[in-house]
């Protein structure tokens, strides 16, 4: 009886996640069409921070392959559990702020770091990615997205527009370890999301003109993905709308 109850709860969670994914993908497709874009241009990154590895496994079984994490060492432990449980290929990105002392552990599992915002962090990630490749933990370079700050708030992280070129050039100076993939935005508190995304679109246009291969724009979350897609986002980071507001730790 207990096994049947546990199985029923797990099945209910899978159904809940499946519904959340379907709704998120429907929103993405509608927003892309409204913007005159192909929905396939926008990646859904399912943000699984705080939630257990079991939820990531369920999402993989539902067909999802791209995930976002923001906490170490939680993310490292979770990726080991998921890899042990499922052989399907999947990717996980680091979307939270990275302490330099944790660059080594992040470089062992992350496909890409979305929140790069300083020269010391770039240097730390470059060295960590090189060591991770030498140790066999990864077989490719570590992707970098430079986090943009629209308000200059140091507590929220990010680089102001004037500092982006120097950071980008520093990433490009480590071609064996890092790739410059593009930009990332977390809309500032107190600024209308639509206005934030429009400002971001202008910054990105100038950035891509100078760095034409850095086309990724990670912008938009559960509450503002429509505005982000309308202004060119290529990756939306959706957690709450899919997994809910509180982790289910008992599953």
């Amino acid at each position: 009886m207990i096994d049947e109850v546990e199985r029923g709860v797990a099945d209910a969670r899978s159904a809940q996640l499946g519904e959340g994914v379907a709704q998120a993908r429907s929103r993405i497709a509608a927003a892309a069409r409204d913007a005159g874009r192909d929905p396939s241009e926008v990646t859904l990154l399912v943000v699984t921070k705080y939630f257990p590895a079991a939820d990531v496994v369920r999402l993989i079984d539902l067909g999802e392959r791209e995930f976002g994490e923001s906490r170490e060492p939680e993310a490292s432990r979770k990726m080991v559990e998921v890899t042990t449980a499922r052989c399907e290929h999947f990717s996980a990105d680091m979307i939270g702020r990275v302490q330099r002392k944790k660059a080594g552990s992040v470089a062992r599992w992350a496909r890409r770091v979305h929140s790069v915002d300083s020269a010391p962090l770039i240097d730390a990630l470059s060295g960590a990615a090189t060591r991770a490749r030498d140790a066999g933990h990864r077989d490719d370079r570590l992707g970098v997205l430079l986090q943009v700050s629209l308000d200059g708030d140091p507590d929220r992280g990010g680089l102001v527009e004037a500092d982006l070129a120097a950071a980008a050039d520093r990433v490009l100076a480590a071609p064996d370890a890092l790739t410059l993939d593009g930009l990332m935005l977390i809309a500032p508190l107190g600024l209308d999301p639509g206005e934030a995304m429009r400002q971001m679109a202008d910054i990105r246009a100038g950035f891509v003109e100078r760095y034409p291969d850095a086309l990724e724009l990670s912008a938009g979350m559960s509450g503002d993905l429509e505005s982000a897609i309308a202004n060119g986002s290529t990756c939306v980071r959706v957690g709450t709308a899919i997994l809910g507001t509180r982790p289910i730790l008992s599953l």
Side-chain angles (χ1 to χ4, degrees):
M1 177 63 73
I2 293 177
D3 288 345
E4 291 180 2
V5 171
E6 290 179 347
R7 191 159 48 246
V9 173
D11 289 345
R13 180 58 170 164
S14 292
Q16 178 186 21
L17 294 174
E19 181 179 355
V21 167
Q23 291 177 353
R25 289 200 173 279
S26 178
R27 288 176 62 190
I28 290 168
R33 288 193 296 269
D34 288 346
R37 300 178 60 193
D38 185 336
S40 66
E41 296 174 3
V42 184
T43 296
L44 169 61
L45 194 74
V46 184
V47 179
T48 49
K49 65 179 181 179
Y50 300 118
F51 288 84
D55 276 348
V56 183
V57 170
R58 292 184 181 104
L59 287 159
I60 289 173
D61 290 344
L62 290 166
E64 298 306 306
R65 295 292 184 271
E66 299 182 69
F67 303 97
E69 290 285 332
S70 67
R71 289 161 50 91
E72 275 292 329
E74 174 195 337
S76 290
R77 292 195 298 264
K78 191 182 300 182
M79 292 307 106
V80 170
E81 291 182 53
V82 174
T83 301
T84 301
R86 288 293 181 273
C87 62
E88 291 91 339
H89 173 75
F90 71 94
S91 299
D93 291 358
M94 181 61 167
I95 62 173
R97 298 185 77 175
V98 179
Q99 295 177 311
R100 293 196 299 277
K101 66 182 180 181
K102 295 184 179 179
S105 56
V106 170
R108 286 195 288 271
W109 61 265
R111 171 185 62 174
R112 177 182 288 156
V113 179
H114 290 225
S115 47
V116 178
D117 63 357
S118 73
L121 178 57
I122 292 169
D123 293 343
L125 290 172
S126 175
T130 298
R131 292 190 295 273
R133 291 180 74 181
D134 290 345
H137 295 299
R138 63 184 307 120
D139 57 11
D140 56 358
R141 294 175 291 170
L142 179 64
V144 166
L145 296 177
L146 300 177
Q147 182 179 343
V148 177
S149 172
L150 297 180
D151 59 6
D153 183 351
D155 292 332
R156 290 174 61 80
L159 295 155
V160 297
E161 183 178 7
D163 294 335
L164 288 174
D169 290 342
R170 200 173 193 93
V171 174
L172 293 174
D176 295 330
L178 307 175
T179 62
L180 179 64
D181 292 348
L183 301 174
M184 178 267 224
L185 175 72
I186 300 174
L189 298 174
L191 182 63
D192 175 73
E195 176 58 28
M197 298 304 172
R198 286 188 289 273
Q199 290 183 28
M200 184 68 243
D202 289 341
I203 292 171
R204 183 196 183 210
F207 188 80
V208 170
E209 185 174 349
R210 182 165 182 170
Y211 305 99
D213 294 328
L215 295 173
E216 293 292 334
L217 174 57
S218 172
M221 298 184 285
S222 294
D224 59 6
L225 67 83
E226 285 84 4
S227 294
I229 291 171
N231 287 281
S233 175
T234 64
C235 173
V236 293
R237 310 178 302 271
V238 181
T240 302
I242 294 175
L243 290 109
T245 56
R246 297 181 63 184
I248 300 177
L249 299 177
S250 60
L251 297 185

